[in-house]
């Protein structure tokens, strides 16, 4: 991971560059210069989301708060240009805010510590000095900025509980030994978490994402469900169509291609 | 790699996947191990499966993750508490999906015979009873499998052997009727003949489902998914989605956590198909809790360092603040604890120091400084205890110090000395005991008793002083001071306070009564005093000659000489009280005899008043003198001086009775130090005696109250001016002659 570690000064300089974008255009990676609008931004978002996920795991955040943080992040950058704000600082504030929204409060100190270590692996934790407090202040300030930018609309419906209910329903249609042998639940959960790397998590409705991840997991392992008049996914959600499912799956699979390119 | 799983997947996807996997997983040794087996079979793509090449690509690329045995975290768990879950409904319980999917009758029937297992619980209605058992038409499944079976026309036999009989002579079948709804466990299933046998015996249930009751159930006990499926079957407008949204469990805020646990997915080490997010490769020291710990330790250490710096420059308060800050940041930081302990020890708070060192050693048993300091502090504490003559405890501390550091010469020396002292003191005590017994046997006059008490008190006082100087918050002194101050300054408040404070203490109960009585009385008196101060002097008997007597005593030989100056006031209080009660006692006895004499004095109120004043005056001056001397004493005796002030207040009060009792009470409070165990017993005897005499005295006083003031008029008094005595006797003479009777 040479990318994040070389980005040390970005976060450390972050506090003072809340409103004015510094020359971190180069941060968006190799593709940033050639196609600054689309591909570069997507890659940057992918990396920042990866950062959020990893930080979330290290902060022992549950899946739903991390998902909320990612949705906050994506919605925020739907409104504003990536050039205007430091994405990693926004990501840190998103984690902090998501902890509050989902009732799993994460302390700024921990967020700063883990982030600092993410960018400077192996370094000693920050001292309790001016830099630390400035960083903390900017995280809190940025949180308010996000809230204002999103018009304080920060409650999102996530696919997680749909997926879990679908899993129990679908699982009971399968022979229990075959079901327990096949890690469909784990795979679909992993796919669901991974889909937050991209904007697809806010482009599709939660039910569709849940069904798509479940579908992909079942399909990957070749689990066969009983066939009735209606498809099982059609039953779970009335308005989902085959093409919609395919679109979600394509978006999701695209993210795995992105991983190879970005990291 | 999970070979079976991969094989199943390859069978499903066909040859194209195999080639892709081969291509993608070329360098995976795990895959190479299984590939030879898998290549042998031929995978023909089935027509009904539309395979997506993108999905195949994905599976092939991620095959090492997806088919890794450790990928599967969920362990197969029996669905235990279906019923209880339904009541609380932590998640949405949904009707079986095949109802909505409209799966065909044949397929569902085949699926049921495939999946139903021994030990599953089903619910059915009795449709036929025969002599060998009864037949059930199955309505729904209860535990184990969740399927829609109502219209499958499944029949199950429950043999008579499988029905538990309640009585030996009864026919178990007689308890069941056609139409009863029965919950039963599947005992056997014949998949070819399509025959199901069920049982009502507990033994047919799996061990974790033993709590499930088999037998007749009421119609409202049917599982929730069954009733939901009934509704869904009749009402086609009910979709899976609408039912899901209508469930309470769906709106449970922690439904995700609950179901995750139920499904068996860890949310702290969540799975990810992304290679960079394989949480098992995350370094432990990158996690927030680890970093925080490390950071706290380093921040705390910084504080400790600056604290030590302050300490070296003699700024102890700042040092203490820094140490406390360090401990706030990092509780149980060993360095901070040791440093603070050392500071406490320096400041003389030995107990606090010991606590800190012990805590430090708990966290880091091999900390050298902590050990060393604790050893020294324990020895120090031992010396303190030794001075308080708590020899055994002190010895224990020395031993502990030696345990910590057996090389400590200090501790060794101290231990050696204390063992000697203990032996010596045991010997002394034995001798003293013998002596005591002798003295007890000899008749005790009141003077003897008094002297003894005084001696005891003196000894005690010295001890107390010493302990007070070493540990300022030693309980006895604080208690005595508080009790005496509260008794005088705010009687009404003290009444309440005392009720709470000393409820459990036996001795204080009486004490409370006295003080409350006093307070009542003093209140009345205050009121009266305000309105007619002049009369009051007449109304109440003049104080006895207590002040005079102690003035005498002071000048006299014997006891007082031995007594330290600064203690004198207390002793006066004691002796005065003693004297007074004694005199009261006597007064009562001779009350009748002397009544006539006293009556005579009543006719000359002015004179008595004058006399009173004179006596009061003299007493006051003497006490003031006392206090002046007292207040000039060192500040360490603050509590004593306080006590004297109390005395002063008490004595100045014109009411004699209250002052008398107040004195007694104070005296007693002082005697009741928890420390003076040796004299406690004697003190109590003494007190009891006094108590009785006082109550007697009280009554006698009251009777005498109207009859003038001079309880002790008959007693010889040196301080009374001789001319006054003359006048007295003249008046008495005069009155006798006149024959005037008192009221």
């Amino acid at each position: 991971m040479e990318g994040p570690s070389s980005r040390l000064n970005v976060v450390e300089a972050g506090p003072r560059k809340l409103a004015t974008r510094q020359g971190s255009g180069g941060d968006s990676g190799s593709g940033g210069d050639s196609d600054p609008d689309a591909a570069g931004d997507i890659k940057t978002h992918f990396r920042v989301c990866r950062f959020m996920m990893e930080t979330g795991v290290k902060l022992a955040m549950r899946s739903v708060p991390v998902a909320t943080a990612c949705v906050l992040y994506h919605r925020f950058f739907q409104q504003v240009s990536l050039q205007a704000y430091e994405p990693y600082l926004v990501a840190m504030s998103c984690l902090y805010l998501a902890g509050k929204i989902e009732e799993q409060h994460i302390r700024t100190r921990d967020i700063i510590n883990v982030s600092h270590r993410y960018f400077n692996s192996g370094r000693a934790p920050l001292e309790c000095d001016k830099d630390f407090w400035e960083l903390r202040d900017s995280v809190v300030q940025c949180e308010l900025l996000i809230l204002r930018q999103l018009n304080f609309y920060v409650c999102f419906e996530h696919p997680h509980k749909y997926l879990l209910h679908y899993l129990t329903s679908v699982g009971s249609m399968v022979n229990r030994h075959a079901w327990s042998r096949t890690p469909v639940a784990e795979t679909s959960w992993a796919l669901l978490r991974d889909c937050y790397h991209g904007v697809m998590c806010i482009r599709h409705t939660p039910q569709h994402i849940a069904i798509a991840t479940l579908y992909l997991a079942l399909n990957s392992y070749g689990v066969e469900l009983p066939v009735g008049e209606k498809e099982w996914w059609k039953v779970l959600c009335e308005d989902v169509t085959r093409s919609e499912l395919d679109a979600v799956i394509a978006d999701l699979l695209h993210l795995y291609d992105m991983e190879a390119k970005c990291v | 790699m999970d070979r079976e799983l991969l094989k199943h997947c390859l069978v499903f996807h066909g040859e194209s996947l195999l080639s892709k996997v081969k291509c993608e997983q070329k360098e995976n040794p795990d895959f190479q191990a299984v590939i030879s087996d898998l290549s042998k079979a031929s995978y023909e793509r089935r027509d009904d499966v539309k395979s997506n090449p993108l999905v195949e690509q994905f599976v092939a690329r991620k095959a090492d993750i997806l088919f890794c045995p450790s990928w599967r975290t969920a362990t197969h768990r029996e669905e235990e508490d279906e019923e209880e879950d339904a009541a609380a409904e932590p998640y949405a319980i949904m009707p079986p999906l095949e109802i909505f999917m409209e799966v065909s009758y044949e397929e569902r029937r085949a699926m049921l015979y495939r999946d139903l297992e021994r030990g599953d619980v089903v619910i059915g209605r009795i449709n036929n009873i025969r002599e060998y058992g009864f037949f059930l038409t199955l309505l729904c499944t209860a535990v184990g499998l969740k399927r829609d079976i109502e219209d499958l026309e499944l029949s199950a036999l429950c043999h008579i052997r499988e029905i538990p009989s309640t009585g030996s002579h009864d026919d178990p079948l007689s308890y069941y009727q056609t139409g009863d709804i029965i919950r039963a466990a599947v005992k056997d299933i014949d998949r070819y003949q399509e025959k199901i046998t069920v049982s009502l015996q507990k033994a047919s249930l799996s061990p974790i489902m033993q709590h499930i009751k088999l037998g007749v159930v009421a119609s409202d006990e049917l599982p929730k998914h069954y009733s939901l499926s009934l509704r869904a079957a009749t009402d086609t407008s009910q979709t899976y989605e609408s039912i899901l949204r209508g469930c309470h469990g769906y709106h449970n805020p922690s439904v995700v956590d609950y179901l995750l646990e139920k499904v068996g997915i860890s949310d702290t080490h969540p799975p990810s198909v992304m290679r960079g997010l394989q949480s098992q490769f995350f370094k432990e020291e990158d996690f927030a809790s680890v970093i925080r710990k490390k950071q706290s330790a380093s921040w705390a250490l910084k504080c400790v360092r600056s604290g030590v710096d302050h300490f070296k420059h003699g700024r102890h308060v700042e040092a203490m603040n820094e140490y406390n800050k360090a401990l706030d940041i990092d509780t149980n930081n060993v360095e901070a604890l040791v440093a603070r302990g050392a500071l406490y020890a320096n400041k003389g708070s030995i107990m606090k120091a010991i606590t800190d060192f012990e805590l430090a050693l708990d966290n880091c048993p091999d900390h050298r400084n902590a050990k060393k300091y604790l050893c020294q502090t324990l020895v120090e504490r031992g010396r303190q205890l030794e001075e308080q003559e708590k020899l055994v405890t002190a010895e224990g501390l020395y031993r502990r110090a030696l345990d910590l550091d057996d090389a400590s010469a200090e501790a060794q020396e101290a231990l050696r000395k204390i063992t000697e002292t203990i032996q010596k003191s045991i010997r002394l005590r034995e001798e003293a005991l013998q002596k005591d017994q002798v003295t007890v046997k000899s008749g005790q006059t009141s003077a003897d008793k008094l002297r003894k008490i005084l001696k005891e008190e003196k000894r005690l006082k010295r001890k107390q002083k010493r302990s007070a100087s070493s540990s300022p918050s030693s309980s006895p002194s604080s208690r005595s001071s508080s009790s005496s101050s509260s008794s005088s300054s705010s009687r009404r408040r003290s009444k309440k306070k005392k009720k709470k404070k000393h409820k459990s203490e036996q001795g204080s109960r009486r004490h409370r009564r006295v003080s409350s009585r006093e307070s009542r009385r003093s209140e009345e008196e205050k009121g009266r005093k305000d309105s007619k101060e002049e009369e009051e002097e007449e109304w109440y008997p003049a104080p006895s000659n207590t002040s005079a007597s102690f003035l005498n005593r002071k000048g006299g030989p014997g006891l007082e000489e031995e007594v330290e100056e600064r203690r004198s006031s207390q002793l006066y209080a004691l002796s005065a009280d003693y004297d007074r009660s004694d005199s009261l006692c006597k007064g009562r006895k001779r009350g009748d005899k002397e009544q006539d004499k006293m009556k005579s004095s009543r006719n000359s109120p002015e004179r008595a008043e004058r006399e009173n004043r004179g006596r009061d005056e003299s007493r006051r001056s003497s006490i003031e003198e006392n206090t002046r001397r007292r207040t000039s004493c060192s500040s360490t005796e603050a509590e004593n001086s306080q006590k004297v002030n109390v005395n002063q207040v008490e004595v100045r009060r014109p009411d004699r009775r209250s002052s008398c009792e107040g004195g007694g009470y104070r005296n007693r409070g002082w005697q009741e130090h928890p420390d003076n165990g040796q004299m406690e017993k004697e003190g109590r005897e003494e007190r009891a005696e006094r108590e009785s005499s006082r109550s007697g005295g009280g009554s006698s006083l009251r009777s005498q109250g109207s009859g003038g003031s001079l309880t002790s008029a008959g007693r010889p008094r040196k301080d009374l001016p001789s001319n006054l005595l003359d006048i007295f006797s003249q008046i008495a003479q005069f009155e006798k002659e006149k024959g005037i009777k008192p009221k």
Side-chain angles (χ1 to χ4, degrees):
Chain A
M1 285 203 190
E2 43 81 37
S5 54
S6 69
R7 211 169 281 116
L8 140 75
N9 9 8
V10 175
V11 157
E12 294 215 320
R16 275 152 257 146
K17 289 166 193 156
L18 242 187
T20 55
R21 174 70 177 171
Q22 81 287 15
S24 87
D27 277 354
S28 33
S30 50
D33 297 319
S34 59
D35 191 1
D37 280 353
D41 281 4
I42 290 173
K43 282 184 182 174
T44 310
H45 290 323
F46 185 92
R47 288 199 195 98
V48 178
C49 288
R50 162 61 53 84
F51 159 74
M52 278 198 275
M53 304 254 182
E54 197 174 326
T55 309
V57 173
K58 288 172 181 171
L59 288 166
M61 277 173 102
R62 294 190 296 265
S63 295
V64 175
V66 172
T68 303
C70 292
V71 172
L72 284 171
Y73 174 86
H74 287 302
R75 284 199 188 275
F76 179 79
F77 279 110
Q78 260 188 344
Q79 310 267 339
V80 302
S81 151
L82 183 58
Q83 269 62 48
Y85 299 100
E86 165 57 48
Y88 285 95
L89 180 64
V90 173
M92 285 161 79
S93 298
C94 284
L95 285 170
Y96 183 50
L97 181 56
K100 289 181 182 176
I101 295 166
E102 301 296 339
E103 302 289 345
Q104 194 195 359
H105 295 250
I106 306 290
R107 292 157 88 173
T108 38
R109 181 178 158 194
D110 286 331
I111 294 175
I112 291 169
N113 281 342
V114 173
S115 311
H116 179 259
R117 199 153 170 104
Y118 182 90
F119 297 116
N120 313 273
S121 58
R123 277 242 223 125
L126 283 168
E127 284 300 314
C128 184
D129 54 11
K130 196 167 134 276
D131 281 353
F132 178 86
W133 289 109
E134 275 183 356
L135 200 50
R136 194 188 174 281
D137 275 352
S138 53
V139 169
V140 175
Q141 290 294 327
C142 187
E143 179 198 3
L144 294 177
L145 179 77
I146 294 166
L147 279 171
R148 280 200 298 273
Q149 195 60 256
L150 298 181
N151 285 325
F152 296 90
Y153 175 71
V154 289
C155 284
F156 309 113
E157 196 178 31
H158 289 298
H160 296 76
K161 62 179 171 182
Y162 289 109
L163 176 61
L164 288 166
H165 280 108
Y166 296 165
L167 269 171
T168 48
S169 280
V170 168
S172 62
M173 285 200 300
V174 182
N175 180 285
R176 64 190 102 180
H177 300 292
W179 186 252
S180 70
R181 214 168 39 229
T182 320
V184 172
E186 292 84 345
T187 307
S188 55
W189 192 255
L191 292 170
L192 179 59
R193 280 179 63 94
D194 290 344
C195 83
Y196 283 91
H197 276 86
V199 211
M200 65 163 288
C201 63
I202 53 171
R203 199 181 288 154
H204 302 285
T205 56
Q207 286 103 314
H208 295 179
I209 294 176
I211 291 173
T213 55
L214 181 54
Y215 183 91
L216 183 55
L218 289 168
N219 201 2
S220 300
Y221 289 108
V223 177
E224 285 168 282
L225 295 177
V227 184
E229 296 291 306
K230 285 165 140 186
E231 292 280 4
W232 61 266
W233 40 268
K234 192 76 188 166
V235 166
L236 293 177
C237 179
E238 295 278 286
D239 60 350
V240 72
T241 59
R242 166 72 72 179
S243 58
E244 168 70 19
L245 265 185
D246 285 341
V248 179
I249 290 172
D251 278 349
L252 185 53
L253 294 179
H254 180 65
L255 286 176
Y256 291 102
D257 293 337
M258 290 276 295
E259 190 194 16
K261 286 183 210 159
C262 289
V263 183
Chain B
M1 272 190 169
D2 191 331
R3 184 182 306 176
E4 287 306 305
L5 207 59
L6 184 56
K7 194 172 175 184
H8 184 262
C9 183
L10 288 173
V11 167
F12 181 82
H13 286 282
E15 198 70 45
S16 62
L17 178 64
L18 181 63
S19 56
K20 278 177 183 141
V21 176
K22 272 181 183 167
C23 177
E24 292 286 341
Q25 302 289 328
K26 232 180 283 172
E27 287 148 32
N28 184 352
D30 275 346
F31 179 71
Q32 297 306 324
V34 293
I35 189 65
S36 51
D37 270 8
L38 293 169
S39 302
K40 282 172 199 159
S42 68
Y43 304 102
E44 283 191 24
R45 175 168 296 210
R46 282 152 48 183
D47 299 333
D48 57 327
V49 178
K50 284 180 282 174
S51 201
N52 185 338
L54 277 175
V55 174
E56 284 179 15
Q57 189 66 42
F58 163 75
V59 174
R61 242 183 234 168
K62 305 286 182 184
D64 54 331
I65 297 173
L66 293 178
F67 298 101
C68 175
S70 66
W71 177 246
R72 196 174 61 224
T73 54
T75 48
H76 180 61
R77 296 195 310 168
E78 294 292 327
E79 289 168 61
E80 302 142 41
D81 280 330
E82 262 332 80
E83 310 280 300
E84 283 169 42
D85 277 359
E89 207 185 340
Y91 69 102
I93 291 168
M94 298 299 296
L97 205 57
E98 56 266 30
I99 294 177
F100 305 101
M101 285 168 63
E102 296 164 33
V103 181
S104 66
Y105 173 88
E106 287 78 24
E107 185 163 3
R108 275 187 293 144
R109 208 176 150 98
M111 273 165 58
L112 184 88
Y113 280 115
R114 183 191 72 196
D115 296 336
L116 195 64
E117 285 180 14
R118 194 193 146 93
D120 285 347
V121 179
V122 292
I123 291 175
R125 187 180 277 119
I126 297 177
N127 64 7
N128 198 354
I129 301 180
R130 297 289 178 85
E131 59 274 17
Y132 56 85
F134 56 73
F135 285 96
L136 291 174
T137 310
L138 296 188
L139 293 174
C140 62
T141 55
V143 180
L145 206 61
K146 215 197 273 174
R147 293 283 168 84
D148 171 37
I149 57 168
E150 200 194 2
D151 57 342
L152 294 183
E153 295 160 2
L154 296 170
S155 184
L157 168 67
C158 185
H159 198 273
I160 193 161
R161 280 193 312 256
E162 302 299 334
I163 303 169
S165 58
T166 42
S168 51
H169 53 281
D170 264 347
D171 175 17
L173 278 176
S174 64
Y175 290 98
Y176 299 95
Q177 294 179 346
T178 312
D180 278 352
I181 298 175
I182 301 290
R183 179 159 39 208
V186 175
K187 189 175 190 302
D188 202 10
I189 179 160
D190 186 340
R191 293 181 212 280
Y192 300 102
Q193 305 282 318
E194 298 202 336
K195 275 181 183 159
I196 301 167
T197 46
V198 294
S199 162
L200 298 183
Q201 303 279 11
K202 281 261 176 200
S204 54
L205 284 169
S206 70
I208 57 157
M209 293 194 281
Q210 284 299 318
H211 61 279
I212 292 173
K213 270 195 199 138
L214 300 178
V216 181
V217 291
S219 54
D220 58 346
E221 279 182 79
L222 294 172
K224 196 185 171 206
H225 70 85
Y226 174 67
S227 53
L228 280 172
S229 63
L230 279 184
R231 239 193 301 158
T234 51
D235 184 1
T236 46
S237 69
Q238 289 216 319
T239 61
Y240 184 91
E241 222 178 332
S242 69
I243 294 175
L244 182 65
R245 286 184 188 280
C247 278
H248 291 301
Y250 172 78
H251 300 286
N252 176 6
S254 55
V255 65
V256 171
D257 300 328
Y258 180 86
L259 280 175
L260 269 183
E261 200 192 332
K262 194 176 155 77
V263 168
I265 299 172
S266 153
D267 215 8
T268 48
H269 287 275
S272 172
V273 193
M274 297 268 179
R275 293 200 191 275
L277 279 176
Q278 302 299 309
S279 57
Q280 71 264 27
F281 296 129
F282 289 173
K283 279 183 241 154
E284 193 57 44
E285 66 260 29
D286 288 347
F287 279 73
S289 54
V290 181
I291 302 178
R292 168 177 281 269
K293 220 176 188 175
K294 208 168 144 189
Q295 192 179 38
S296 294
S298 99
W299 290 2
L301 215 61
K302 215 171 156 192
C303 288
V304 173
R305 253 182 242 129
S306 82
V308 169
D309 204 48
H310 282 305
F311 180 70
K312 277 177 184 161
H313 291 87
R315 296 187 294 265
H316 289 183
V317 177
E318 285 88 342
M320 182 56 84
N321 285 341
E322 288 292 332
Y323 296 153
N324 284 333
K325 206 165 108 194
L327 287 169
D328 267 354
I329 293 171
D330 186 16
T331 351
N332 299 341
N333 183 292
V334 179
E335 297 302 327
L337 281 172
V338 172
R340 194 174 71 172
L343 182 53
Y344 273 137
N346 256 302
K347 286 287 182 188
S349 308
I350 288 184
M351 291 316 288
K352 281 183 178 170
I354 289 175
T355 322
D356 274 356
F357 291 140
E358 276 171 348
L359 205 56
L361 279 180
D362 278 350
N363 288 300
C364 176
D366 293 320
H367 198 278
R368 266 180 51 218
N369 272 354
K371 255 187 185 172
K372 198 173 101 191
Y373 293 158
L374 180 55
C375 178
Q376 286 171 2
T377 318
L378 282 174
V379 173
E380 186 63 34
R381 174 69 187 154
R383 291 222 177 92
Q384 272 185 13
L385 287 175
E386 211 177 327
E387 279 174 34
Q388 290 170 34
E389 298 188 21
K390 287 175 183 160
L391 298 177
V392 182
T393 327
E395 190 198 1
L397 288 181
Y398 293 145
R399 285 196 193 285
R400 249 186 79 199
L402 271 181
D403 279 346
L404 283 168
D405 180 11
D406 12 292
S408 165
E410 220 179 351
Q412 279 169 347
E413 177 68 9
L415 186 61
R416 194 182 53 73
K417 264 188 194 159
I418 199 161
T419 351
E420 282 174 18
T421 325
I422 287 174
Q423 279 163 359
K424 207 189 285 172
S425 75
I426 288 170
R427 220 165 36 237
L428 278 174
R429 204 170 292 167
E430 274 167 5
E431 282 169 21
L433 210 67
Q434 280 172 354
K435 224 182 262 172
D436 263 7
Q437 276 166 347
V438 174
T439 49
V440 165
K441 270 171 199 161
S442 70
Q444 280 190 334
T445 65
S446 59
D448 278 338
K449 272 189 205 163
L450 178 61
R451 226 163 268 141
K452 201 165 167 189
I453 291 165
L454 286 173
K455 257 185 214 160
E456 294 270 15
E457 278 172 359
K458 200 174 89 185
R459 199 162 59 84
L460 203 85
K461 185 71 195 172
R462 269 196 208 127
K463 225 192 279 174
Q464 207 183 318
K465 216 169 48 191
R466 240 175 313 181
S467 70
S469 67
S470 62
S471 56
S473 61
S474 80
S475 57
S477 56
S478 69
R479 197 191 134 197
S480 72
S481 73
S482 78
S483 72
S484 62
S485 68
S486 66
S487 76
S488 69
S489 58
S490 54
R491 267 154 199 276
R492 223 174 309 171
R493 203 151 34 86
S494 78
K495 193 173 148 192
K496 252 188 256 164
K497 241 194 246 167
K498 224 144 265 166
K499 241 176 227 170
K500 275 185 258 167
K501 220 156 91 187
H502 299 297
K503 206 166 249 174
S504 60
E505 287 172 43
Q506 201 195 10
S508 66
R509 215 171 286 154
R510 219 163 9 179
H511 163 280
R512 206 202 316 152
R513 212 191 307 131
V514 170
S515 75
S516 70
R517 205 203 304 153
E518 257 178 300
S519 72
R520 220 185 306 123
R521 216 176 286 158
S522 67
E523 267 171 56
E524 289 168 22
E525 281 157 15
K526 219 180 251 168
R528 245 179 277 165
K529 191 176 148 197
D530 286 342
S531 58
K532 35 183 181 177
E533 200 152 345
E534 279 302 301
E535 275 178 322
E536 198 191 352
E537 295 283 282
E538 280 180 75
W539 199 264
Y540 289 95
S544 71
N545 62 339
T546 51
S547 59
S549 71
F550 86 64
L551 280 177
N552 282 347
R553 270 170 179 279
K554 197 182 161 199
L559 290 173
E560 264 71 22
E561 282 173 1
E562 297 165 15
V563 175
E564 284 167 283
E565 274 288 62
R566 78 175 91 90
R567 274 190 54 240
S568 56
S569 73
Q570 270 170 2
L571 284 178
Y572 297 153
L574 174 75
S575 61
D577 181 57
Y578 194 83
D579 221 9
R580 214 177 297 144
S581 58
D582 205 16
S583 77
L584 284 174
C585 192
K586 278 181 200 155
R588 187 177 57 144
K589 273 182 210 152
R590 51 165 197 253
D592 288 16
K593 248 190 263 167
E594 294 183 356
Q595 196 133 34
D596 282 1
K597 223 184 215 174
M598 273 181 282
K599 273 175 214 156
S600 65
S601 70
R602 194 189 156 257
N603 282 347
S604 58
E606 287 108 340
R607 217 171 285 172
E609 189 184 316
R610 212 186 309 140
E611 183 194 60
N612 256 350
R613 277 194 190 141
R615 211 175 298 139
D616 268 359
E617 210 79 347
S618 69
R619 184 168 50 173
R620 213 172 294 163
S621 69
S622 80
I623 281 162
E624 269 162 6
E625 186 188 63
N626 246 336
T627 23
R628 237 176 288 125
R629 215 182 301 148
R630 293 284 288 99
T631 42
S632 67
C633 279
S634 70
S635 61
T636 50
E637 308 296 316
E639 64 220 40
N640 284 345
S641 73
Q642 200 182 346
K643 214 178 279 179
V644 172
N645 286 338
V646 170
N647 273 352
Q648 199 180 337
V649 172
E650 290 279 351
V651 172
R652 271 186 183 174
R653 206 175 282 245
D655 171 32
R656 181 179 151 249
R657 264 178 300 179
S658 87
S659 92
C660 157
E661 281 179 5
Y665 148 66
R666 234 180 300 123
N667 195 19
R668 194 149 15 97
W670 188 64
Q671 276 187 355
E672 271 178 3
H673 289 327
D675 236 17
N676 59 355
Q678 304 103 311
M679 66 172 297
E680 183 92 307
K681 207 173 127 194
E682 263 179 290
R684 213 171 286 154
E685 277 171 32
E686 212 64 50
R687 216 180 307 134
E689 213 173 286
R690 227 176 298 142
E691 199 75 52
S692 66
S693 77
R694 189 178 302 115
S695 61
S699 66
S700 82
L701 275 176
R702 240 164 277 135
S703 71
Q704 289 163 15
S706 56
S709 54
L710 298 179
T711 336
S712 43
R715 289 173 69 189
R717 278 202 230 135
K718 287 167 195 159
D719 62 321
L720 226 56
S722 56
N723 60 339
L724 210 66
L725 267 176
D726 285 345
I727 293 166
F728 247 84
S729 57
Q730 276 174 14
I731 290 167
Q733 199 79 33
F734 175 73
E735 275 176 359
K736 235 179 195 172
E737 281 168 11
K738 279 260 182 171
I740 294 170
K741 295 281 167 197
K743 270 197 287 186

